[in-house]
Amino acid sequence: MRTTQQILPELRSLYAVVKAGNATEAQVNKLRELTTEAQSAKAAEATEGDRILTALAKGAAPGFDASDHQSAYQPEAKRLTRVGLARTARTLAENLKHGAQEQKAAVSMGQYTAPIQLTEPATMGAPPQGFVEALGTNVFDDKFFSFLRQTTRELNAGVVPEGQLKPTSKIGLTRVQGETQVLAHISEPVPEQLLADVSSVSTVIGYELLYGLYSALERQVLYGTGTDELHGVLTQEGVQLITTGARPVDRIRAALTRLQMQGYTGGIVALNPADWEAIEVSTSNGSGEYVLGGPVDSAAQKLWGTQVVLTTSINVGEAVVLDPSQLGIASTGGINLHVGQPGDTFNRNQVVFRCEGRFETMLKQPAAVVRVTLGDAAPAA
């Protein structure tokens, strides 16, 4: 089937002849045929457009049938929060307790899995408690996933006289196929006697291992090299840089402006707590007064009206300003807690816990991220 653009030149030419009253019967019939063909082509293109838009909404590239791929991207992502970690820890502890009761032992050896307890974003103005918490987490059925990344953006819309070709805008989209990576660590050997009260596993072992995994994930999401590591957002090609400016707050404002000029929404400013303290206690030149009445909103933890997220995973001396809708985290949705007695721990009445999960970053538009150097030194990777 021909496209509408292919049919229209011939259709316009015949229409002009018919309108002038000089058409033959064959030309009139041909005009009717072309009109019908153009209407069919238009309907087919509308259907194809709907299919493409549906695929884009699901994060799949055109031509990629998400229904045939169980690991399709879920756009309505929730968050991996500290509250969710605590809930997951309690679930793991309950699984351990149940297993121990069945085995009539202080703790049962084996594998215990609990889904990551994803929660809604922070409410009532409460700021996120970490960088990962500020991002959406998308759960996939297996370790493989797919999402769209925009690589070029050249918009050329303009006024077009009748009969002239429309300008072409370049919106380069490519499908990124990724694989989640394992993040894991183990506990030191724990005496079995300390585990007689299995309910304490929730806070002593479970939460600590989960929090350690969360902290490692934050660092990887920011600085992972992509080689035997996650693809950290700050190490990917296309991320913008700001290394000059007067004060740190001025550089952060410049980053927000840069995003706004390119059509992005700067929704997050990620800072190390030490840098946030320096901003909060900074004083005005001359008067010596705190600058709290200017760009800083101490109570809501906002800077230039934008949410500040504090994390020790980011290097002191730099900030990350980004549009959070363009960055997400892929996960298989489960955190596994294994309990075993490797080596000679059996002879010592000790057990070892292993905690692991699978994660990877999904950066849809690198230009939606600005890496800001707050001082004169270059940022360390």
Side-chain angles (χ1 to χ4, degrees):
M1 176 184 288
R2 293 192 297 171
T3 65
T4 332
Q5 292 298 321
Q6 293 171 325
I7 300 169
L8 282 178
E10 186 179 359
L11 182 62
R12 289 195 185 103
S13 177
L14 273 175
Y15 176 73
V17 174
V18 173
K19 187 177 181 182
N22 301 322
T24 65
E25 183 178 354
Q27 287 175 315
V28 172
N29 291 334
K30 182 63 175 177
L31 179 62
R32 292 194 182 100
E33 292 176 4
L34 287 174
T35 301
T36 302
E37 185 183 1
Q39 289 172 340
S40 299
K42 184 177 181 181
E45 289 165 4
T47 301
E48 176 66 9
D50 290 340
R51 188 191 69 79
I52 291 174
L53 289 175
T54 300
L56 290 174
K58 293 180 179 179
F64 177 71
D65 188 356
S67 64
D68 293 335
H69 194 269
Q70 293 183 344
S71 297
Y73 172 66
Q74 302 174 22
E76 299 299 328
K78 292 186 179 181
R79 311 297 173 92
L80 178 58
T81 65
R82 304 284 181 86
V83 172
L85 288 180
R87 292 176 182 172
T88 304
R90 286 195 294 270
T91 301
L92 289 169
E94 286 300 316
N95 292 342
L96 273 171
K97 182 178 181 180
H98 180 71
Q101 289 173 342
E102 288 188 344
Q103 298 296 324
K104 306 299 182 182
V107 62
S108 176
M109 307 301 135
Q111 175 178 334
Y112 300 89
T113 303
I116 299 174
Q117 296 294 309
L118 299 179
T119 60
E120 297 291 348
T123 57
M124 300 298 291
Q129 298 301 302
F131 185 65
V132 166
E133 184 167 325
L135 306 175
T137 298
N138 296 274
V139 177
F140 297 86
D141 294 332
D142 54 43
K143 66 179 181 179
F144 300 104
F145 63 93
S146 174
F147 68 98
L148 282 179
R149 172 174 293 166
Q150 185 174 352
T151 55
T152 58
R153 189 189 198 198
E154 184 180 328
L155 305 179
N156 297 311
V159 177
V160 182
E162 184 178 353
Q164 299 299 310
L165 290 175
K166 277 69 175 175
T168 299
S169 292
K170 298 179 181 179
I171 306 173
L173 295 175
T174 182
R175 185 176 71 184
V176 177
Q177 293 179 305
E179 180 178 343
T180 54
Q181 304 296 315
V182 174
L183 282 177
H185 61 150
I186 63 174
S187 72
E188 60 184 347
V190 179
E192 288 186 43
Q193 292 84 349
L194 293 180
L195 299 174
D197 180 10
V198 182
S199 62
S200 66
V201 173
S202 172
T203 54
V204 178
I205 302 294
Y207 183 79
E208 289 300 311
L209 290 177
L210 288 169
Y211 180 68
L213 209 67
Y214 179 93
S215 299
L217 176 60
E218 280 209 326
R219 184 71 182 179
Q220 285 287 311
V221 168
L222 285 165
Y223 297 107
T225 63
T227 302
D228 296 327
E229 293 185 343
L230 272 60
H231 289 79
V233 61
L234 298 182
T235 63
Q236 297 194 43
E237 185 177 355
V239 170
Q240 303 189 69
L241 299 175
I242 287 184
T243 59
T244 59
R247 301 172 300 176
V249 290
D250 300 323
R251 299 187 185 192
I252 291 172
R253 187 64 187 88
L256 289 167
T257 301
R258 187 176 293 186
L259 291 178
Q260 292 163 352
M261 292 292 289
Q262 297 177 22
Y264 300 115
T265 300
I268 291 177
V269 176
L271 288 166
N272 188 285
D275 289 316
W276 178 240
E277 178 192 7
I279 290 174
E280 283 199 305
V281 302
S282 61
T283 57
S284 301
N285 292 331
S287 66
E289 296 178 353
Y290 288 119
V291 193
L292 291 176
V296 179
D297 184 341
S298 181
Q301 200 169 288
K302 290 187 176 182
L303 186 61
W304 301 114
T306 305
Q307 184 66 65
V308 173
V309 176
L310 302 181
T311 172
T312 56
S313 297
I314 193 170
N315 294 334
V316 174
E318 68 176 336
V320 180
V321 183
L322 77 155
D323 184 338
S325 68
Q326 303 304 321
L327 175 64
I329 298 173
S331 170
T332 53
I335 292 181
N336 297 327
L337 185 65
H338 301 259
V339 185
Q341 292 182 311
D344 63 350
T345 52
F346 175 80
N347 296 332
R348 297 176 181 271
N349 291 98
Q350 297 172 327
V351 297
V352 173
F353 292 82
R354 182 175 80 241
C355 183
E356 62 185 17
R358 297 191 68 100
F359 304 93
E360 184 54 285
T361 57
M362 299 188 301
L363 180 57
K364 291 181 279 187
Q365 296 195 32
V369 179
V370 184
R371 185 176 187 177
V372 183
T373 302
L374 299 177
D376 294 331

mmCIF file of all heavy atoms in Angstrom, residues 12-13 15 63 76 88 92-93 172 177 206 224 267 282 300 308 322 324 348 369 379:
data_model
loop_
_atom_site.group_PDB
_atom_site.id
_atom_site.type_symbol
_atom_site.label_atom_id
_atom_site.label_comp_id
_atom_site.label_asym_id
_atom_site.label_seq_id
_atom_site.Cartn_x
_atom_site.Cartn_y
_atom_site.Cartn_z
ATOM 1 N N ARG A 12 -3.705 15.807 -5.996
ATOM 2 C CA ARG A 12 -3.829 17.253 -6.152
ATOM 3 C C ARG A 12 -3.861 17.649 -7.628
ATOM 4 O O ARG A 12 -4.613 18.539 -8.044
ATOM 5 C CB ARG A 12 -2.660 17.953 -5.444
ATOM 6 C CG ARG A 12 -2.712 17.891 -3.919
ATOM 7 C CD ARG A 12 -1.746 18.888 -3.318
ATOM 8 N NE ARG A 12 -1.690 18.777 -1.868
ATOM 9 C CZ ARG A 12 -0.709 18.188 -1.205
ATOM 10 N NH1 ARG A 12 0.305 17.639 -1.861
ATOM 11 N NH2 ARG A 12 -0.728 18.127 0.110
ATOM 12 N N SER A 13 -3.020 16.994 -8.431
ATOM 13 C CA SER A 13 -2.952 17.308 -9.864
ATOM 14 C C SER A 13 -4.282 17.018 -10.562
ATOM 15 O O SER A 13 -4.806 17.845 -11.326
ATOM 16 C CB SER A 13 -1.818 16.506 -10.512
ATOM 17 O OG SER A 13 -1.777 16.746 -11.909
ATOM 18 N N TYR A 15 -7.208 16.736 -9.108
ATOM 19 C CA TYR A 15 -8.249 17.582 -8.531
ATOM 20 C C TYR A 15 -8.260 18.948 -9.220
ATOM 21 O O TYR A 15 -9.333 19.515 -9.489
ATOM 22 C CB TYR A 15 -8.019 17.740 -7.031
ATOM 23 C CG TYR A 15 -9.000 18.692 -6.372
ATOM 24 C CD1 TYR A 15 -10.324 18.309 -6.168
ATOM 25 C CD2 TYR A 15 -8.599 19.960 -5.967
ATOM 26 C CE1 TYR A 15 -11.230 19.174 -5.577
ATOM 27 C CE2 TYR A 15 -9.499 20.832 -5.382
ATOM 28 C CZ TYR A 15 -10.812 20.437 -5.183
ATOM 29 O OH TYR A 15 -11.707 21.305 -4.594
ATOM 30 N N GLY A 63 8.107 -1.767 16.594
ATOM 31 C CA GLY A 63 8.443 -3.060 16.013
ATOM 32 C C GLY A 63 8.721 -4.106 17.063
ATOM 33 O O GLY A 63 8.879 -5.279 16.757
ATOM 34 N N GLU A 76 4.735 2.855 35.156
ATOM 35 C CA GLU A 76 4.237 3.340 36.442
ATOM 36 C C GLU A 76 5.078 2.763 37.567
ATOM 37 O O GLU A 76 4.657 1.873 38.294
ATOM 38 C CB GLU A 76 2.755 2.967 36.604
ATOM 39 C CG GLU A 76 1.843 3.569 35.538
ATOM 40 C CD GLU A 76 1.871 5.084 35.558
ATOM 41 O OE1 GLU A 76 2.052 5.656 36.653
ATOM 42 O OE2 GLU A 76 1.724 5.690 34.490
ATOM 43 N N THR A 88 10.818 -5.275 53.778
ATOM 44 C CA THR A 88 11.419 -6.463 53.184
ATOM 45 C C THR A 88 12.197 -7.250 54.238
ATOM 46 O O THR A 88 12.153 -8.481 54.274
ATOM 47 C CB THR A 88 12.361 -6.073 52.027
ATOM 48 O OG1 THR A 88 11.628 -5.300 51.070
ATOM 49 C CG2 THR A 88 12.927 -7.298 51.336
ATOM 50 N N LEU A 92 11.646 -11.139 55.328
ATOM 51 C CA LEU A 92 12.714 -12.130 55.337
ATOM 52 C C LEU A 92 12.863 -12.771 56.714
ATOM 53 O O LEU A 92 13.077 -13.981 56.840
ATOM 54 C CB LEU A 92 14.038 -11.472 54.911
ATOM 55 C CG LEU A 92 14.151 -11.073 53.434
ATOM 56 C CD1 LEU A 92 15.375 -10.203 53.219
ATOM 57 C CD2 LEU A 92 14.210 -12.296 52.539
ATOM 58 N N ALA A 93 12.754 -11.939 57.748
ATOM 59 C CA ALA A 93 12.881 -12.466 59.109
ATOM 60 C C ALA A 93 11.747 -13.438 59.430
ATOM 61 O O ALA A 93 11.968 -14.477 60.066
ATOM 62 C CB ALA A 93 12.892 -11.318 60.116
ATOM 63 N N GLY A 172 16.055 10.904 17.228
ATOM 64 C CA GLY A 172 16.715 9.605 17.161
ATOM 65 C C GLY A 172 16.381 8.734 18.353
ATOM 66 O O GLY A 172 16.699 9.067 19.501
ATOM 67 N N GLN A 177 18.986 -2.702 25.008
ATOM 68 C CA GLN A 177 18.725 -3.986 25.644
ATOM 69 C C GLN A 177 19.773 -4.203 26.725
ATOM 70 O O GLN A 177 20.971 -4.163 26.468
ATOM 71 C CB GLN A 177 18.770 -5.109 24.610
ATOM 72 C CG GLN A 177 17.643 -5.026 23.595
ATOM 73 C CD GLN A 177 17.701 -6.112 22.549
ATOM 74 O OE1 GLN A 177 18.711 -6.281 21.870
ATOM 75 N NE2 GLN A 177 16.622 -6.870 22.406
ATOM 76 N N GLY A 206 18.965 -8.821 58.874
ATOM 77 C CA GLY A 206 18.221 -8.536 57.661
ATOM 78 C C GLY A 206 18.334 -7.099 57.188
ATOM 79 O O GLY A 206 18.740 -6.833 56.062
ATOM 80 N N GLY A 224 28.979 3.765 38.630
ATOM 81 C CA GLY A 224 29.342 2.488 38.026
ATOM 82 C C GLY A 224 29.965 2.675 36.648
ATOM 83 O O GLY A 224 29.508 3.497 35.845
ATOM 84 N N GLY A 267 14.110 18.104 38.443
ATOM 85 C CA GLY A 267 13.324 17.742 39.613
ATOM 86 C C GLY A 267 14.127 17.303 40.810
ATOM 87 O O GLY A 267 13.576 17.175 41.903
ATOM 88 N N SER A 282 26.087 29.071 54.574
ATOM 89 C CA SER A 282 26.779 30.129 53.831
ATOM 90 C C SER A 282 26.155 31.475 54.170
ATOM 91 O O SER A 282 24.962 31.589 54.461
ATOM 92 C CB SER A 282 26.691 29.870 52.330
ATOM 93 O OG SER A 282 25.342 29.851 51.909
ATOM 94 N N ALA A 300 11.847 22.356 53.862
ATOM 95 C CA ALA A 300 11.424 21.423 52.817
ATOM 96 C C ALA A 300 12.613 20.807 52.091
ATOM 97 O O ALA A 300 12.436 19.969 51.223
ATOM 98 C CB ALA A 300 10.528 22.133 51.813
ATOM 99 N N VAL A 308 16.040 18.767 47.056
ATOM 100 C CA VAL A 308 17.411 18.340 47.335
ATOM 101 C C VAL A 308 17.374 16.942 47.941
ATOM 102 O O VAL A 308 16.616 16.682 48.875
ATOM 103 C CB VAL A 308 18.121 19.313 48.294
ATOM 104 C CG1 VAL A 308 19.479 18.763 48.719
ATOM 105 C CG2 VAL A 308 18.284 20.679 47.632
ATOM 106 N N LEU A 322 19.086 16.664 37.744
ATOM 107 C CA LEU A 322 18.521 15.857 36.667
ATOM 108 C C LEU A 322 17.014 15.908 36.636
ATOM 109 O O LEU A 322 16.357 16.310 37.603
ATOM 110 C CB LEU A 322 18.985 14.411 36.787
ATOM 111 C CG LEU A 322 18.317 13.530 37.851
ATOM 112 C CD1 LEU A 322 18.389 12.076 37.476
ATOM 113 C CD2 LEU A 322 18.958 13.746 39.214
ATOM 114 N N PRO A 324 14.166 13.496 36.828
ATOM 115 C CA PRO A 324 14.019 12.104 37.281
ATOM 116 C C PRO A 324 13.160 11.242 36.368
ATOM 117 O O PRO A 324 13.226 10.016 36.444
ATOM 118 C CB PRO A 324 13.391 12.246 38.675
ATOM 119 C CG PRO A 324 12.723 13.584 38.654
ATOM 120 C CD PRO A 324 13.558 14.450 37.766
ATOM 121 N N ARG A 348 32.083 -24.815 64.112
ATOM 122 C CA ARG A 348 32.171 -23.720 65.079
ATOM 123 C C ARG A 348 30.780 -23.252 65.537
ATOM 124 O O ARG A 348 30.672 -22.249 66.235
ATOM 125 C CB ARG A 348 32.923 -22.539 64.465
ATOM 126 C CG ARG A 348 34.368 -22.845 64.102
ATOM 127 C CD ARG A 348 35.011 -21.654 63.408
ATOM 128 N NE ARG A 348 36.388 -21.939 63.021
ATOM 129 C CZ ARG A 348 37.455 -21.740 63.790
ATOM 130 N NH1 ARG A 348 37.266 -21.252 65.017
ATOM 131 N NH2 ARG A 348 38.672 -22.019 63.377
ATOM 132 N N VAL A 369 20.676 14.962 32.414
ATOM 133 C CA VAL A 369 21.489 14.890 33.630
ATOM 134 C C VAL A 369 22.634 15.894 33.517
ATOM 135 O O VAL A 369 23.311 15.956 32.487
ATOM 136 C CB VAL A 369 22.066 13.480 33.834
ATOM 137 C CG1 VAL A 369 22.934 13.427 35.095
ATOM 138 C CG2 VAL A 369 20.947 12.452 33.920
ATOM 139 N N PRO A 379 35.759 16.743 39.173
ATOM 140 C CA PRO A 379 35.064 15.679 39.899
ATOM 141 C C PRO A 379 35.798 14.360 39.781
ATOM 142 O O PRO A 379 36.367 14.036 38.742
ATOM 143 C CB PRO A 379 33.694 15.608 39.234
ATOM 144 C CG PRO A 379 33.914 16.148 37.865
ATOM 145 C CD PRO A 379 34.976 17.190 38.029
#
